[in-house]
Amino acid sequence: MKKEDKSVIIWLLSGCALLFIMVMVGGITRLTNSGLSMTDWHLITDTFPPLTEEKWEHAFEEYKKFPEYQQINIHNDFGLSDYKFIYFWEWFHRFIGRIIGMVFIIPFVYFLIKKRLSSETIKKCIVLLGMGAFQGFLGWFMVKSGLIDNPDVSHFRLSLHLTFAFITFAYTLWVALDLIYPNKIEVIKPLRTIARIALVVLIIQIIYGGFVAGLNAGLVHNHWPLMSDGQFFHESIALEKDSWLLRLTEGKSGVQFVHRTMAYVVVGLMLYLYFRSKKYVLNTTQKKGLTTLVAIVFVQFALGVFTLLFHVPLWLGLAHQLVAFVLLSTMVFTLHRLSK
């Protein structure tokens, strides 16, 4: 890397680390059913949680006006202390979002003033700022879907919010890698093509992971390698919805079937990429990227299986989501080293 780019790289990688934390807290928020605890959104006034008991009571009374309390928690002996717990996780999630905004905007302005960014990097950073703003909108767009009639957020919106966070992270990492490795290398086009396909399939798998999370589809068919009743393609898939499009995008059994089956495709593609690479002379960085990729994809596959078998306990569900983040990071790194 160029010495003058070091501080910019640290800035971008710090953003990556914060995005990782953001997704981790978002996973806890989802798995603890905390996402609908804050029923409004204000850029400034929600920065800190209620500071007095009176304000807590007011926030709790506002929460009681919405479907999650009226249809679910009113029957669960749900009190103020319970509300404070779920409020904390949603507030913390939003608070980190604000921190990320400041971490991206303030150094960006500083680097612009100091003329530390090339015109190409400036364009990429503007895209990143736009992606961050859009991600904030997607978060509220998701929450809003659970504040009308249904006490659950739309699984489509949840998946969109989650997947776009992954994509924002991936692009931030890619911009940092462009600065870390400024020198061009000879591209091995067949490997690059396979890596690109693997990345696209991995993103589709992440989308379906969001569907599974949003529909709580991990709580059905808790068996492996086959679904319930020893069936590879369980009969319930065809019964849940009226069309195959809906069955495979809105039915719990159908969504889980796609997610668990595509896991084999993801593993297969990454193994194919690894063994195909043996036909070429690679540098040390490329070899390490491919080896790490294969190791992590097997860890992620195993976590997926155990998460399913143990009915999605909090720690396993969170671990599965976080290792997906690590897997995407390794995939992006490997593709970058095979592309530039």
Side-chain angles (χ1 to χ4, degrees), residues 29-30 32-38 68 86 90 94 143 153:
T29 302
R30 174 179 55 80
T32 56
N33 296 314
S34 302
L36 299 176
S37 57
M38 295 178 69
E68 185 175 73
I86 64 172
E90 177 62 13
R94 298 187 191 192
V143 169
V153 299

Side-chain angles (χ1 to χ4, degrees), residues 112-125:
L112 276 179
I113 294 171
K114 294 293 185 178
K115 298 182 179 180
R116 301 284 293 276
L117 304 173
S118 67
S119 58
E120 184 180 356
T121 303
I122 290 172
K123 292 175 184 177
K124 293 174 182 176
C125 290

Side-chain angles (χ1 to χ4, degrees), residues 2-120:
K2 297 177 183 177
K3 186 177 180 180
E4 60 269 26
D5 289 335
K6 186 175 180 180
S7 57
V8 179
I9 292 167
I10 292 172
W11 165 54
L12 291 169
L13 292 180
S14 297
C16 287
L18 283 170
L19 285 167
F20 179 84
I21 295 170
M22 180 81 164
V23 170
M24 178 181 69
V25 174
I28 297 173
T29 302
R30 174 179 55 80
L31 290 167
T32 56
N33 296 314
S34 302
L36 299 176
S37 57
M38 295 178 69
T39 56
D40 206 345
W41 187 85
H42 303 97
L43 183 60
I44 304 299
T45 56
D46 287 340
T47 302
F48 298 102
L51 300 177
T52 65
E53 202 67 17
E54 182 181 354
K55 290 182 178 180
W56 272 117
E57 290 287 356
H58 175 73
F60 190 30
E61 290 303 317
E62 288 298 310
Y63 172 71
K64 290 179 179 180
K65 298 176 183 179
F66 290 91
E68 185 175 73
Y69 180 82
Q70 294 175 350
Q71 298 178 32
I72 299 174
N73 284 333
I74 194 173
H75 307 294
N76 295 333
D77 193 26
F78 190 86
L80 182 59
S81 60
D82 302 300
Y83 176 68
K84 288 181 178 180
F85 174 78
I86 64 172
Y87 187 101
F88 169 79
W89 287 112
E90 177 62 13
W91 167 80
F92 192 37
H93 187 55
R94 298 187 191 192
F95 182 74
I96 295 172
R98 289 179 169 89
I99 297 297
I100 290 174
M102 290 189 292
V103 165
F104 271 99
I105 293 171
I106 295 173
F108 176 62
V109 173
Y110 172 80
F111 290 133
L112 276 179
I113 294 171
K114 294 293 185 178
K115 298 182 179 180
R116 301 284 293 276
L117 304 173
S118 67
S119 58
E120 184 180 356

